[in-house]
Amino acid sequence: MSDFKVFDYMAKHEFEQVVYFYDRTTGLKGVTVIHNTTLGPALGGTRLWNYESEDDAVLDCLRLARGMTYKAAAAGLNLGGGKTVLIGDATKVKSEAYFRALGRYVQSLNGRYITAEDVNTNTKDMNYIHMETDYVVGLEGKSGNPSPITALGAFYGIKSALKQKFGCEDISKYTFAIQGAGQTGYYLTEYLLEENAKKIYFSEINPKHIERMKQEHPEVEFVDPDKLFGLDVDVLSPCALGGVLNSDTIPQIKAKIIAGTANNVLLDEDTHGNMIKERGILYAPDFVINAGGLINVYYELMNQPKEKVLADIKLIYDRLLEIYQISEQENIHTQLAAKVFAKKRIQTIKNLHDNYIPR
Ligand code: NAD
């Protein structure tokens, strides 16, 4: 028997709501978690995964929903944090009915939660959900592929890190190592090339992506994946999977800055956040630097034009500088400083709404 206690976890991390659902027609089963809606409706994608146990699924959903609260708050958006996980084999369970069944559960939350794409769900699935609810973003013909925007946000984030660390953000003076040349890594490479980066190395494990880079940008040099962390470069940019900054990789790192698009890159936030800080490396907190995709769907939700998105993406630069200042003043690692920054905004807006003002 597992000793995981949902209510204890909810109380400890101040969750608002956990909704379990099972659809008898399609076999859809999953959970939606709403962490915090102080700033607005909870937004977070729907992840479909064949979890080993129900506890694993619920815990993943709880963690991801909480992460969304910080991400939205730090990005200055009027959104809360939420997430949905579906338990199932993505190669077997997906159908129109399956996602329409999910849409009905999303609708039942009456706008407290808005869903979007995530691992193993795509635009087509969102369109099915949309047949049953309006509380879904990332639809065909709307905000589009978030990856170029996410990469652009990371590009501004790299500039702000350069400014913070070296006092100069001129990309042409610096060298870069990019882990992963998939969606975001590829676009980030292009932004860096446009500003004449001194040298870019990349690592990849997908032969198609290696070939694409070699064909399109032969000046970008391929490096074996296990050599990437030890490269003598100015900026290391993780754009692949989570957990890559850990006790094995951190001691190898020669870069003075770590800034990329990947989520949950610190294997253990405090242990590895502190380890990076002690080594004098500036780490751009993942959920702040990679918020471009979320900012993009937020403006889709608000029916705002693309120019607004692009203007807001640029603010990632300033937000990170503010976070670095908190990190220095409070002598804490930058991931923690980013949480302080996000929590402060939530608390301030909450307090602001203490008095009754009719509108
Ligand atoms: P992607 O799958 O398109 O690209 C990741 C690439 O990394 C793949 O090509 C994969 O082959 C490669 N890779 C995997 N392991 C590797 C390794 N050990 N060494 C080198 N390469 C490796 O994914 P993406 O959309 O570019 O997302 C990358 C990261 O950014 C993820 O962590 C994702 O959660 C995060 N992120 C993406 C977005 C977005 O808009 N796409 C938004 C926010 C965060």
Side-chain angles (χ1 to χ4, degrees):
M1 270 293 274
S2 150
D3 58 0
F4 176 59
K5 299 213 166 38
V6 179
F7 283 112
D8 287 356
Y9 195 89
M10 286 180 76
K12 186 172 173 204
H13 298 291
E14 300 184 313
F15 283 84
E16 292 179 10
Q17 196 172 3
V18 175
V19 183
Y20 289 77
F21 48 84
Y22 171 74
D23 175 64
R24 58 184 179 266
T25 307
T26 59
L28 170 88
K29 59 178 173 183
V31 52
T32 293
V33 170
I34 296 176
H35 175 244
N36 184 298
T37 56
T38 303
L39 297 172
L43 191 146
T46 292
R47 178 166 294 193
L48 169 57
W49 198 255
N50 217 352
Y51 289 94
E52 279 195 6
S53 73
E54 289 174 13
D55 280 356
D56 284 357
V58 176
L59 191 56
D60 199 29
C61 199
L62 287 160
R63 284 200 191 114
L64 292 164
R66 188 160 159 250
M68 289 306 294
T69 297
Y70 296 131
K71 188 167 192 164
L77 305 175
N78 289 322
L79 291 174
K83 199 82 186 179
T84 294
V85 304
L86 305 177
I87 304 169
D89 180 342
T91 61
K92 295 193 181 127
V93 298
K94 288 173 83 163
S95 69
E96 175 188 345
Y98 182 83
F99 284 105
R100 288 184 73 159
L102 174 61
R104 292 172 66 77
Y105 286 110
V106 172
Q107 180 61 30
S108 76
L109 292 167
N110 204 23
R112 272 176 56 70
Y113 167 71
I114 299 164
T115 199
E117 290 175 37
D118 198 75
V119 176
N120 284 328
T121 59
N122 57 33
T123 311
K124 189 175 156 201
D125 306 328
M126 296 306 117
N127 286 341
Y128 290 139
I129 293 172
H130 191 219
M131 291 177 185
E132 302 291 340
T133 183
D134 287 330
Y135 301 118
V136 52
V137 286
L139 301 168
E140 247 159 38
K142 292 284 182 81
S143 58
N145 178 4
S147 306
I149 302 280
T150 301
L152 184 61
F155 177 69
Y156 291 126
I158 287 174
K159 284 196 163 199
S160 81
L162 290 169
K163 180 79 180 165
Q164 174 74 14
K165 191 78 191 165
F166 302 120
C168 167
E169 61 188 65
D170 180 350
I171 296 288
S172 71
K173 290 192 162 59
Y174 302 105
T175 54
F176 301 85
I178 301 182
Q179 185 189 39
Q183 292 261 31
T184 55
Y186 171 79
Y187 288 111
L188 178 60
T189 306
E190 294 213 316
Y191 294 126
L192 294 170
L193 287 171
E194 271 169 33
E195 295 210 3
N196 306 311
K198 193 166 155 190
K199 178 76 193 173
I200 306 178
Y201 301 91
F202 82 106
S203 70
E204 239 312 327
I205 53 168
N206 179 338
K208 270 196 206 152
H209 292 165
I210 298 173
E211 201 42 42
R212 174 175 63 174
M213 192 68 91
K214 284 188 172 167
Q215 289 293 327
E216 294 180 20
H217 301 295
E219 70 275 40
V220 178
E221 191 174 325
F222 176 75
V223 175
D224 210 57
D226 56 6
K227 302 238 163 52
L228 189 91
F229 286 92
L231 282 180
D232 193 3
V233 289
D234 299 306
V235 181
L236 171 68
S237 193
C239 299
L241 304 177
V244 297
L245 300 176
N246 53 50
S247 304
D248 288 336
T249 56
I250 295 169
Q252 299 173 36
I253 298 173
K254 295 202 180 78
K256 287 282 171 278
I257 289 172
I258 303 173
T261 59
N263 271 317
N264 307 320
V265 268
L266 298 167
L267 186 62
D268 178 279
E269 285 197 342
D270 281 328
T271 309
H272 300 116
N274 278 324
M275 211 183 224
I276 289 170
K277 178 175 177 287
E278 278 154 23
R279 293 214 46 216
I281 301 168
L282 180 64
Y283 167 74
D286 51 6
F287 67 88
V288 182
I289 191 170
N290 74 16
L294 182 63
I295 294 171
N296 198 36
V297 292
Y298 178 71
Y299 284 96
E300 172 186 330
L301 202 62
M302 297 286 133
N303 287 315
Q304 296 286 327
K306 204 78 178 177
E307 303 84 76
K308 286 238 179 186
V309 180
L310 296 177
D312 205 358
I313 296 287
K314 279 193 184 153
L315 297 177
I316 288 176
Y317 180 105
D318 303 290
R319 289 184 195 118
L320 285 168
L321 289 184
E322 231 179 289
I323 288 164
Y324 300 143
Q325 213 175 357
I326 295 172
S327 156
E328 281 181 358
Q329 279 165 357
E330 302 195 13
N331 195 21
I332 52 177
H333 63 82
T334 52
Q335 186 82 353
L336 184 56
K339 285 192 173 168
V340 170
F341 176 79
K343 282 183 185 170
K344 187 174 165 209
R345 178 163 176 255
I346 296 170
Q347 196 56 47
T348 307
I349 304 301
K350 191 179 184 132
N351 294 347
L352 192 74
H353 288 167
D354 267 0
N355 52 349
Y356 174 68
I357 311 276
R359 187 175 173 189

